[in-house]
Amino acid sequence: MLENPHVTQATPQPAAVIRLTIPRAEIREVMGPGHAELMAAVTAQGVGPAGPWYSHHFRMDPEVFDFEIGMPVTAPVAPTGRVTAGELPAVRVARTVYCGSYERLGEAWGEFEAWIKGAGHATAPNLWEIYAKGPESTDDPAEFRTELNWPLIG
């Protein structure tokens, strides 16, 4: 279920990130360890987390995910291991919140894309998901909340 899709201006968000390029089928194996690695780095450096973690996908390819896992921070993170400094961009985006299990995120993106195109907008090749509420805070996938953001062109 999508909540109130709308267009808004995203503000820049400094972050600690891990950049990954992996086969699509490996996404479930890398997200948990990546999140743990980010949490350890920002906690050890005393710079976060300053909000919920996210994944920022740079291009849409059916076979390969080129993306970064990120965590907002209050100050720049010093590089450590795979963790480097990054930022979610200040850009005009279509935004909504999807409520439900991660298994249905693909369907949610499809519904969201239909809304965007139906409203006459063109999308950039990148997008991001912010995991506002997930398995770290509830055992019920119906309560998961994922913010979907898709930058707009023009």
Side-chain angles (χ1 to χ4, degrees):
M1 175 177 117
L2 297 184
E3 294 181 355
N4 188 30
H6 60 283
V7 174
T8 190
Q9 179 67 36
T11 57
Q13 176 61 63
V17 301
I18 298 172
R19 179 82 180 249
L20 299 164
T21 303
I22 60 165
R24 183 183 191 107
E26 294 178 13
I27 189 76
R28 292 176 191 231
E29 286 79 38
V30 302
M31 293 296 282
H35 177 257
E37 189 175 345
L38 286 169
M39 183 65 83
V42 303
T43 301
Q45 293 182 34
V47 296
W53 69 303
Y54 65 88
S55 62
H56 184 186
H57 295 257
F58 297 106
R59 63 184 169 93
M60 304 314 296
D61 180 306
E63 302 300 321
V64 176
F65 277 169
D66 177 14
F67 72 110
E68 64 188 14
I69 302 168
M71 184 167 295
V73 292
T74 57
V77 64
T80 180
R82 299 185 303 168
V83 177
T84 61
E87 180 178 80
L88 279 175
V91 65
R92 190 168 156 257
V93 298
R95 177 176 290 160
T96 189
V97 173
Y98 161 70
C99 301
S101 72
Y102 294 148
E103 285 74 26
R104 301 206 53 209
L105 268 170
E107 293 173 38
W109 277 107
E111 183 181 338
F112 187 37
E113 182 177 23
W115 179 88
I116 293 168
K117 293 193 185 304
H121 300 293
T123 54
N126 67 308
L127 52 80
W128 65 87
E129 301 172 340
I130 297 175
Y131 307 108
K133 185 176 183 180
E136 68 284 347
S137 57
T138 180
D139 290 332
D140 183 359
E143 294 181 13
F144 292 2
R145 296 176 54 80
T146 307
E147 183 183 282
L148 310 181
N149 293 273
W150 205 329
L152 302 176
I153 299 171

Short mmCIF file of all heavy atoms in Angstrom, two decimals, residues 29-54:
data_model
loop_
_atom_site.label_atom_id
_atom_site.label_comp_id
_atom_site.label_asym_id
_atom_site.label_seq_id
_atom_site.Cartn_x
_atom_site.Cartn_y
_atom_site.Cartn_z
N GLU A 29 21.61 -11.04 0.68
CA GLU A 29 22.80 -11.46 1.42
C GLU A 29 23.68 -10.29 1.83
O GLU A 29 24.48 -10.42 2.75
CB GLU A 29 23.63 -12.46 0.61
CG GLU A 29 23.02 -13.85 0.52
CD GLU A 29 21.91 -13.95 -0.51
OE1 GLU A 29 22.03 -13.33 -1.59
OE2 GLU A 29 20.90 -14.62 -0.23
N VAL A 30 23.60 -9.16 1.14
CA VAL A 30 24.50 -8.05 1.43
C VAL A 30 23.89 -6.95 2.30
O VAL A 30 24.62 -6.21 2.95
CB VAL A 30 25.08 -7.42 0.14
CG1 VAL A 30 25.81 -8.46 -0.69
CG2 VAL A 30 24.02 -6.73 -0.68
N MET A 31 22.57 -6.85 2.32
CA MET A 31 21.95 -5.74 3.04
C MET A 31 22.20 -5.80 4.55
O MET A 31 22.62 -4.81 5.15
CB MET A 31 20.45 -5.68 2.75
CG MET A 31 20.12 -5.32 1.30
SD MET A 31 20.66 -3.66 0.83
CE MET A 31 19.36 -2.68 1.57
N GLY A 32 21.93 -6.92 5.18
CA GLY A 32 22.13 -7.04 6.63
C GLY A 32 23.56 -6.79 7.06
O GLY A 32 23.81 -5.95 7.95
N PRO A 33 24.53 -7.49 6.46
CA PRO A 33 25.92 -7.23 6.84
C PRO A 33 26.36 -5.79 6.54
O PRO A 33 27.12 -5.21 7.31
CB PRO A 33 26.72 -8.24 5.99
CG PRO A 33 25.75 -9.35 5.74
CD PRO A 33 24.41 -8.67 5.59
N GLY A 34 25.89 -5.23 5.43
CA GLY A 34 26.24 -3.85 5.11
C GLY A 34 25.70 -2.88 6.16
O GLY A 34 26.39 -1.95 6.59
N HIS A 35 24.45 -3.10 6.56
CA HIS A 35 23.84 -2.27 7.61
C HIS A 35 24.65 -2.36 8.89
O HIS A 35 24.95 -1.34 9.54
CB HIS A 35 22.39 -2.69 7.84
CG HIS A 35 21.72 -1.95 8.94
ND1 HIS A 35 21.52 -2.52 10.17
CD2 HIS A 35 21.22 -0.70 9.01
CE1 HIS A 35 20.91 -1.64 10.96
NE2 HIS A 35 20.72 -0.53 10.27
N ALA A 36 25.03 -3.57 9.29
CA ALA A 36 25.80 -3.76 10.51
C ALA A 36 27.16 -3.06 10.42
O ALA A 36 27.61 -2.44 11.40
CB ALA A 36 25.98 -5.26 10.78
N GLU A 37 27.81 -3.14 9.26
CA GLU A 37 29.11 -2.49 9.07
C GLU A 37 28.98 -0.97 9.17
O GLU A 37 29.81 -0.30 9.80
CB GLU A 37 29.67 -2.90 7.71
CG GLU A 37 31.08 -2.50 7.47
CD GLU A 37 31.63 -3.04 6.16
OE1 GLU A 37 31.04 -3.96 5.56
OE2 GLU A 37 32.68 -2.52 5.73
N LEU A 38 27.94 -0.41 8.56
CA LEU A 38 27.71 1.03 8.66
C LEU A 38 27.44 1.45 10.10
O LEU A 38 28.00 2.43 10.58
CB LEU A 38 26.52 1.45 7.79
CG LEU A 38 26.76 1.49 6.29
CD1 LEU A 38 25.44 1.65 5.55
CD2 LEU A 38 27.71 2.63 5.93
N MET A 39 26.57 0.71 10.78
CA MET A 39 26.22 1.04 12.16
C MET A 39 27.47 1.02 13.05
O MET A 39 27.67 1.93 13.86
CB MET A 39 25.18 0.06 12.68
CG MET A 39 24.70 0.36 14.09
SD MET A 39 23.81 1.92 14.22
CE MET A 39 22.20 1.38 13.70
N ALA A 40 28.31 0.02 12.87
CA ALA A 40 29.54 -0.06 13.66
C ALA A 40 30.44 1.14 13.41
O ALA A 40 31.00 1.73 14.34
CB ALA A 40 30.27 -1.37 13.36
N ALA A 41 30.59 1.52 12.14
CA ALA A 41 31.48 2.64 11.79
C ALA A 41 30.97 3.96 12.35
O ALA A 41 31.73 4.72 12.95
CB ALA A 41 31.66 2.73 10.27
N VAL A 42 29.68 4.27 12.14
CA VAL A 42 29.18 5.57 12.60
C VAL A 42 29.09 5.64 14.12
O VAL A 42 29.30 6.70 14.70
CB VAL A 42 27.84 5.95 11.93
CG1 VAL A 42 27.99 5.96 10.41
CG2 VAL A 42 26.70 5.07 12.36
N THR A 43 28.80 4.53 14.75
CA THR A 43 28.74 4.49 16.21
C THR A 43 30.14 4.67 16.79
O THR A 43 30.34 5.46 17.72
CB THR A 43 28.10 3.18 16.70
OG1 THR A 43 26.79 3.07 16.15
CG2 THR A 43 28.03 3.13 18.21
N ALA A 44 31.13 3.95 16.24
CA ALA A 44 32.50 4.04 16.73
C ALA A 44 33.05 5.46 16.58
O ALA A 44 33.82 5.92 17.42
CB ALA A 44 33.40 3.05 15.98
N GLN A 45 32.64 6.16 15.52
CA GLN A 45 33.14 7.51 15.28
C GLN A 45 32.27 8.59 15.93
O GLN A 45 32.59 9.77 15.87
CB GLN A 45 33.25 7.76 13.77
CG GLN A 45 34.31 6.90 13.12
CD GLN A 45 34.46 7.18 11.63
OE1 GLN A 45 34.30 8.32 11.17
NE2 GLN A 45 34.80 6.15 10.87
N GLY A 46 31.15 8.19 16.53
CA GLY A 46 30.28 9.14 17.22
C GLY A 46 29.57 10.11 16.29
O GLY A 46 29.26 11.23 16.68
N VAL A 47 29.29 9.68 15.05
CA VAL A 47 28.65 10.58 14.08
C VAL A 47 27.25 10.11 13.66
O VAL A 47 26.65 10.67 12.75
CB VAL A 47 29.53 10.78 12.83
CG1 VAL A 47 30.83 11.47 13.20
CG2 VAL A 47 29.80 9.46 12.11
N GLY A 48 26.74 9.10 14.32
CA GLY A 48 25.40 8.64 13.92
C GLY A 48 25.02 7.36 14.61
O GLY A 48 25.72 6.91 15.51
N PRO A 49 23.92 6.84 14.18
CA PRO A 49 23.13 7.25 13.02
C PRO A 49 22.28 8.49 13.31
O PRO A 49 21.84 8.70 14.43
CB PRO A 49 22.25 6.04 12.73
CG PRO A 49 22.08 5.37 14.05
CD PRO A 49 23.36 5.62 14.80
N ALA A 50 22.05 9.28 12.26
CA ALA A 50 21.25 10.50 12.38
C ALA A 50 19.91 10.34 11.66
O ALA A 50 19.30 11.31 11.26
CB ALA A 50 22.03 11.67 11.79
N GLY A 51 19.47 9.11 11.51
CA GLY A 51 18.21 8.81 10.85
C GLY A 51 18.23 7.39 10.34
O GLY A 51 19.21 6.66 10.52
N PRO A 52 17.16 6.98 9.67
CA PRO A 52 17.10 5.60 9.17
C PRO A 52 18.03 5.37 7.98
O PRO A 52 18.33 6.28 7.22
CB PRO A 52 15.64 5.43 8.76
CG PRO A 52 15.08 6.79 8.62
CD PRO A 52 15.92 7.71 9.44
N TRP A 53 18.47 4.15 7.85
CA TRP A 53 19.37 3.78 6.77
C TRP A 53 18.62 3.68 5.46
O TRP A 53 17.39 3.71 5.43
CB TRP A 53 20.12 2.51 7.12
CG TRP A 53 19.33 1.23 7.17
CD1 TRP A 53 18.23 0.98 7.96
CD2 TRP A 53 19.57 0.05 6.44
NE1 TRP A 53 17.79 -0.30 7.75
CE2 TRP A 53 18.59 -0.90 6.81
CE3 TRP A 53 20.51 -0.32 5.49
CZ2 TRP A 53 18.54 -2.18 6.28
CZ3 TRP A 53 20.46 -1.60 4.97
CH2 TRP A 53 19.49 -2.51 5.36
N TYR A 54 19.37 3.57 4.36
CA TYR A 54 18.75 3.59 3.03
C TYR A 54 19.59 2.81 2.02
O TYR A 54 20.73 2.43 2.29
CB TYR A 54 18.57 5.03 2.55
CG TYR A 54 19.87 5.78 2.33
CD1 TYR A 54 20.53 5.71 1.10
CD2 TYR A 54 20.43 6.56 3.33
CE1 TYR A 54 21.72 6.39 0.89
CE2 TYR A 54 21.62 7.24 3.12
CZ TYR A 54 22.26 7.16 1.91
OH TYR A 54 23.43 7.83 1.70
#
